[in-house]
Amino acid sequence: MAKSTDDMKVEYVIPLLSFATGLSPIHLGYAVLASLSFYLLLVLIDVTLGTHAKKEEEETETHRPFPKSWNCDNSKCYMEMFSEPTRHGRLIRRPGNTLSNILYLFGGLSVLGGAMQRGLLEPFVVPDAIYGIMLLVLAFSSTAWHGCNPPRIHYVDLWSMEACTIYLAIRCLSIGIYQCFKNYASESFNHFITIEHTASVFCLVLFLIHIFANGKKWYTLCQKQVLHHSCPFSVRSRLGATIKLKDILIGKSSRDGLMATFTPAFTTIPPISILHVCLFALIPISLFLPIYLIIYYTGETGSTRAYLWTNTSLILGWTYRLWEQWALDGCVFMKWWARGENQGTSQYQKDHSNRRNSNNGSSFLRMILSAFFSPTAVLHIATGVTLLAGYTHMRSFDLILLDHSN
C-alpha cells in the first residue's frame, strides 16, 4: 500500500487539502488569494459603476454595463428559475448567486495546480487536470450567468456543472476498475501496462466522451434557443403543461390553440408527476451510490472526514435549493427579507416594476440578507465544498489503494 488508512485521518482543512492536491499550504493560500481578489475586483467595479449611475440618475433606467450583443435584457428564463431580487443597471445583478461561485474558482485552481505539480505519468493526473479546468469553466460561466444573465452563457454553465458532477462518479468507477484488475488480472498483463494506468486511461476516455457528447447536446439546445425565453423544466411550467394537457383531453380547448402558447421546449418536456418530484429530490443519494459500492468492494473508506463533508454538504445544499423559484416556487426566508424590494404580482413583474428602489441605499441590508438566504447561493457554497471534498476523498483512495511499487 502506498499509504495507510491512518494517514487519511487529518484533523484540519488545509493539511487535508494539501495532502490530497499535493500543493503546499502556501500555494493553497495563493489560490485563496487569487479567488478573493477576482471577486473583490468584481465588487469594486460594481460599486464604481453603481455610483456613476446614481450621479446621472436620469440615465439609471438605461444604464447598462454590458455589451448589447450579450442580450442581457432578456431575463425571462432567469426570472422563472431564480428568486434573488435583481439589481438593475449593475455589474453584479444578484450578489448572492454571483459571489457564491468563489469556491468553484478556488477548487479549480487547487485541483489544476496540484495536477500540474504531479508527474505526467502519475495515474489520474490528466483527467484530474481536465476536472480542474472544468471547475474553472464552471466558476466563470456561472459568475457571468448569475451576474448579468446573458442567455448563451447559461448553456456553458449547465454543461460545465454536469461535467464536474459526473467526474466524481467516473473517478470512483475507475478506482473500482483498478481494484477489479488488481484482484483478477494476470501478472503478465501488469508487466505490459500497469493496472493504475489502465484505470487512469479508462477514467480519461470516459470523461472526455461525456464532455464532448454533453457539450454537443447543450450546443444544439443553444442553437434552438430552448432556454432563451423560458425555463421549460421548472415545476411551474410543467404544472402548466399538465393543466393544459388535461384541457385538451377533456375537450375544453383546441390542441392547436394551446400548443401555440408553448415554446418549442414545452413539447419535449413531459408533464410533472409525484414520481418525478421524488426522484429529483433523491438525486444526491444516486450520486453517492458509486462511492458506497467502492467502499463495500475495497473495504476502505478513504478519508472519513472528506467523505463526511461530501455527503453532508450536498444533502444540505440540495435540500435547501429545492425551495428555489424553478422548483418549489420560492424560498420563504429569502422572500421575507426581500419583501420590500419589489411588489409586483409575479416574480418577473416584481423584478421589473421597481428598478430604482432596488438600488437605494436603504435596501442594502435587505440585499445582503436576500443574498445570504438565496437557495442558489447556498447551493453554490455547498456544492463547492462537495466537489472539492469529493475530489479529496477520491485522492485518498488513490493514496491508499494504488500500489506504486510495480
Side-chain angles (χ1 to χ4, degrees):
M1 296 292 181
K3 297 286 181 181
S4 68
T5 306
D6 292 337
D7 293 327
M8 298 297 113
K9 296 178 180 178
V10 183
E11 294 296 327
Y12 302 102
V13 176
I14 296 300
L16 180 58
L17 289 178
S18 178
F19 190 70
T21 62
L23 294 176
S24 67
I26 294 178
H27 287 97
L28 287 174
Y30 290 155
V32 172
L33 181 61
S35 303
L36 288 173
S37 299
F38 175 75
Y39 284 98
L40 285 175
L41 178 62
L42 289 183
V43 172
L44 179 62
I45 297 175
D46 174 79
V47 172
T48 303
L49 293 178
T51 303
H52 175 74
K54 287 182 179 180
K55 289 181 179 179
E56 301 181 12
E57 191 168 338
E58 69 278 3
E59 294 182 8
T60 302
E61 293 291 338
T62 57
H63 180 67
R64 297 184 181 91
F66 318 108
K68 190 175 181 180
S69 60
W70 289 15
N71 196 21
C72 294
D73 290 335
N74 177 14
S75 57
K76 292 181 180 179
C77 179
Y78 196 96
M79 297 305 177
E80 287 186 17
M81 293 185 67
F82 307 103
S83 49
E84 184 180 3
T86 301
R87 302 161 69 239
H88 291 274
R90 305 298 292 263
L91 179 69
I92 304 176
R93 290 183 175 180
R94 294 102 187 167
N97 293 352
T98 303
L99 302 179
S100 55
N101 291 286
I102 187 171
L103 283 186
Y104 297 148
L105 181 56
F106 169 72
L109 292 174
S110 300
V111 173
L112 181 59
M116 292 175 64
Q117 288 198 359
R118 291 152 57 190
L120 184 61
L121 296 180
E122 184 175 334
F124 297 108
V125 66
V126 176
D128 284 354
I130 297 175
Y131 175 60
I133 293 173
M134 294 308 297
L135 276 172
L136 293 178
V137 173
L138 174 61
F140 293 125
S141 61
S142 183
T143 297
W145 166 241
H146 291 286
C148 56
N149 58 269
R152 292 187 179 275
I153 205 68
H154 189 195
Y155 302 89
V156 180
D157 175 34
L158 294 173
W159 167 65
S160 56
M161 177 188 67
E162 292 180 354
C164 292
T165 302
I166 200 66
Y167 179 70
L168 295 181
I170 294 175
R171 189 74 154 73
C172 193
L173 180 61
S174 301
I175 293 175
I177 294 293
Y178 163 80
Q179 191 67 21
C180 183
F181 272 98
K182 185 176 181 180
N183 291 341
Y184 301 108
S186 64
E187 292 187 4
S188 59
F189 176 86
N190 198 40
H191 284 297
F192 176 72
I193 179 173
T194 62
I195 55 178
E196 299 100 312
H197 290 94
T198 302
S200 179
V201 170
F202 173 84
C203 180
L204 174 62
V205 171
L206 198 58
F207 191 38
L208 288 177
I209 289 175
H210 171 80
I211 288 175
F212 286 108
N214 204 41
K216 182 179 179 181
K217 180 195 77 173
W218 284 113
Y219 177 78
T220 301
L221 293 176
C222 179
Q223 294 298 103
K224 295 180 179 180
Q225 300 189 358
V226 171
L227 298 178
H228 273 53
H229 305 291
S230 68
C231 178
F233 57 80
S234 70
V235 172
R236 180 175 289 274
S237 296
R238 295 182 66 180
L239 283 176
T242 304
I243 295 171
K244 293 180 179 182
L245 182 60
K246 286 183 177 179
D247 288 342
I248 294 172
L249 294 176
I250 64 178
K252 286 187 176 180
S253 305
S254 69
R255 179 180 178 84
D256 292 339
L258 286 172
M259 290 302 173
T261 64
F262 289 178
T263 62
F266 268 117
T267 61
T268 62
I269 303 295
I272 197 167
S273 67
I274 295 298
L275 177 61
H276 293 155
V277 174
C278 294
L279 290 177
F280 184 79
L282 293 174
I283 282 181
I285 296 179
S286 66
L287 294 177
F288 292 137
L289 281 178
I291 299 178
Y292 300 150
L293 293 175
I294 292 302
I295 291 176
Y296 175 80
Y297 184 66
T298 63
E300 298 283 358
T301 60
S303 170
T304 54
R305 188 170 295 273
Y307 175 67
L308 178 63
W309 289 339
T310 304
N311 282 266
T312 304
S313 59
L314 180 58
I315 291 173
L316 292 178
W318 189 267
T319 301
Y320 188 74
R321 190 242 195 150
L322 290 176
W323 297 100
E324 187 54 278
Q325 188 79 15
W326 64 269
L328 296 181
D329 215 12
C331 175
V332 63
F333 303 108
M334 199 212 65
K335 284 189 172 183
W336 190 82
W337 288 112
R339 67 192 186 282
E341 292 293 326
N342 302 288
Q343 300 295 331
T345 57
S346 68
Q347 186 65 33
Y348 182 77
Q349 291 171 334
K350 286 176 184 178
D351 284 288
H352 286 76
S353 62
N354 201 6
R355 294 189 177 191
R356 292 183 189 274
N357 290 341
S358 65
N359 289 325
N360 287 338
S362 61
S363 66
F364 180 76
L365 179 60
R366 293 186 184 278
M367 178 195 72
I368 296 297
L369 292 173
S370 297
F372 182 81
F373 285 104
S374 169
T376 296
V378 172
L379 179 76
H380 286 165
I381 296 298
T383 53
V385 173
T386 299
L387 294 173
L388 190 53
Y391 173 76
T392 301
H393 190 219
M394 292 300 100
R395 283 286 293 152
S396 70
F397 272 110
D398 292 352
L399 297 171
I400 291 175
L401 297 175
L402 296 184
D403 186 2
H404 295 289
S405 63
N406 292 333

